[in-house]
Amino acid sequence: MPPGPPGGTLHERGERADTTHDRRKAHGTGARRAPQRDRELMAANNRRMSGKKGAQVGSGGKRRRGLEGKGPTPPAEMRKGHAKQRAAQSKARRAQSARPQRRGGGRSSSELVVGRNPVVEALREGVPASTLYVQQFIDSDERVREALRLASERGGINLMEAPRPELDRMTNGLNHQGLVLQVPPYEYAHPDDLAAAAADAGEDPLIVALDGVTDPRNLGAVVRSVSAFGGHGVVVPERRAAGMTAGAWKTSAGAAARTPVARATNLTRALEAYQKAGLVVVGLDADGEAELGDLDALDGPLVIVVGSEGKGLSRLVGETCDVRVRIPMPGGAESLNAGVAAGIVLYEAARRRA
């Protein structure tokens, strides 16, 4: 077949023309769509840049204020979560725990005196009271009238009328007979306060400590003897010991109002503190190595330790005493109760100090 014309056949030239037209058409469409793609790319770029610092239109100056300085960097001890801050906090807690506690022996719980005779006797003996409860529609007799009179004359005692069910609830069903007297909590002194009071008065301390005495009447008798022979107070343990109840107040015959009673968390440590302050600790023991009449320490700063009638001094307290003395008893009695024993030693100490 002879070769065709240089431009190809008409059919071939038509196909190339169609192809060129299609390419130009596509190229023209892409050119028209290019600005739209540019705008989309710019919007995406702006979104990515919107989280970065720098002045932008419409920020209202917030970005600029965010760039302002926040002052000098705080020290490490003030930075939250820093190791030095944790160490400083731990040191502060240790210092707080090592700080001496507030002086004072604490307070006892309030107490109720129940019954007509006990209430009248408590008011006669001057037992501190805050409220006298009287049953509504009570059958008044001489004891009820006397209780009301004593409470009114003393002053400072609230007179409250209450129904019988309320008094039954307060007393847990005890036979209150329509009269209930509320005794406020007793304010105990600190053991150091007793020696400090003697020093303020220019006197040698004379203190009685009770070890294991659980009868409030014995405590009241000791308080009465301390007051009678010029002592400066009584120390009792915080646990397993009698406290200043209404019974102790009545037995003291008013002496508890002028003779302080201190309460020690640990009696052995309290005695050791007295020894460091220069006081001689003398324990009463039936098997003591010295007799009371031979003791030369009675005319100086002294702590007399009295144990319970049955068990005597506990082991640790007995070992802490500087000397243990015995009271001669020619009659052959095995022991004396705490109130009597303390009274004998206090009398001998007062006689030598006179």
Side-chain angles (χ1 to χ4, degrees):
M1 181 182 292
T9 64
L10 292 175
H11 179 70
E12 293 174 348
R13 289 199 298 270
E15 289 178 351
R16 287 196 296 270
D18 293 339
T19 303
T20 303
H21 176 74
D22 293 339
R23 290 176 180 174
R24 288 177 179 175
K25 183 177 181 181
H27 179 73
T29 303
R32 288 194 298 273
R33 290 180 180 178
Q36 182 178 355
R37 286 199 299 273
D38 293 342
R39 288 194 296 272
E40 292 176 356
L41 292 174
M42 291 175 64
N45 187 42
N46 289 337
R47 286 195 296 271
R48 288 194 301 271
M49 297 292 291
S50 62
K52 296 183 178 181
K53 295 181 179 179
Q56 292 187 3
V57 177
S59 67
K62 294 182 179 179
R63 305 294 181 185
R64 184 173 61 253
R65 289 194 296 269
L67 293 175
E68 296 178 356
K70 298 182 180 180
T73 303
E77 291 79 2
M78 297 179 63
R79 298 182 205 170
K80 185 177 180 180
H82 197 280
K84 288 191 175 182
Q85 186 195 47
R86 294 194 295 270
Q89 292 174 348
S90 177
K91 182 179 179 181
R93 286 192 295 268
R94 289 195 301 269
Q96 179 70 20
S97 61
R99 186 175 303 170
Q101 301 296 322
R102 182 182 64 86
R103 289 166 62 97
R107 304 176 64 185
S108 63
S109 58
S110 59
E111 182 186 2
L112 296 178
V113 179
V114 178
R116 300 188 181 186
N117 285 335
V119 167
V120 172
E121 291 175 5
L123 291 173
R124 286 175 181 172
E125 298 297 335
V127 175
S130 57
T131 306
L132 175 62
Y133 294 94
V134 183
Q135 179 183 321
Q136 290 178 344
F137 313 115
I138 188 175
D139 293 333
S140 180
D141 61 4
E142 184 179 352
R143 293 169 298 176
V144 174
R145 290 191 292 270
E146 184 178 1
L148 293 173
R149 179 181 59 80
L150 292 173
S152 300
E153 291 177 353
R154 183 189 299 187
I157 300 179
N158 300 318
L159 298 177
M160 302 290 293
E161 189 177 33
R164 182 181 180 87
E166 178 65 17
L167 296 183
D168 293 340
R169 185 193 63 80
M170 290 174 55
T171 60
N172 293 324
L174 295 177
N175 184 20
H176 50 76
Q177 299 175 315
L179 286 183
V180 177
L181 185 67
Q182 186 172 24
V183 179
Y186 182 79
E187 291 283 351
Y188 289 95
H190 190 276
D192 294 344
D193 296 338
L194 306 185
D200 294 341
E203 301 172 350
D204 288 331
L206 179 58
I207 300 169
V208 175
L210 301 182
D211 179 26
V213 176
T214 57
D215 189 345
R217 292 171 297 181
N218 275 333
L219 173 58
V222 171
V223 170
R224 186 173 184 178
S225 297
V226 169
S227 176
F229 295 113
H232 299 97
V234 180
V235 179
V236 296
E238 184 175 354
R239 294 180 295 273
R240 296 184 295 275
M244 282 305 299
T245 62
W249 271 96
K250 287 191 293 184
T251 309
S252 71
R258 54 184 181 271
T259 302
V261 176
R263 189 164 62 178
T265 304
N266 187 301
L267 183 59
T268 302
R269 293 180 182 175
L271 296 178
E272 291 174 349
Y274 281 141
Q275 289 172 331
K276 293 179 181 178
L279 281 72
V280 178
V281 178
V282 176
L284 299 186
D285 190 346
D287 299 325
E289 59 268 18
E291 284 194 0
L292 178 62
D294 300 332
L295 188 62
D296 297 330
L298 292 178
D299 56 353
L302 183 66
V303 179
I304 304 168
V305 186
V306 183
S308 63
E309 183 176 356
K311 298 180 179 179
L313 299 176
S314 62
R315 182 182 60 84
L316 290 177
V317 171
E319 294 174 354
T320 305
C321 295
D322 295 310
V323 59
R324 290 181 294 181
V325 301
R326 62 183 183 274
I327 300 175
M329 292 181 289
E334 293 183 358
S335 63
L336 300 172
N337 68 23
V340 174
I344 293 173
V345 181
L346 287 168
Y347 166 75
E348 183 65 20
R351 185 182 68 82
R352 297 193 186 185
R353 292 165 181 246

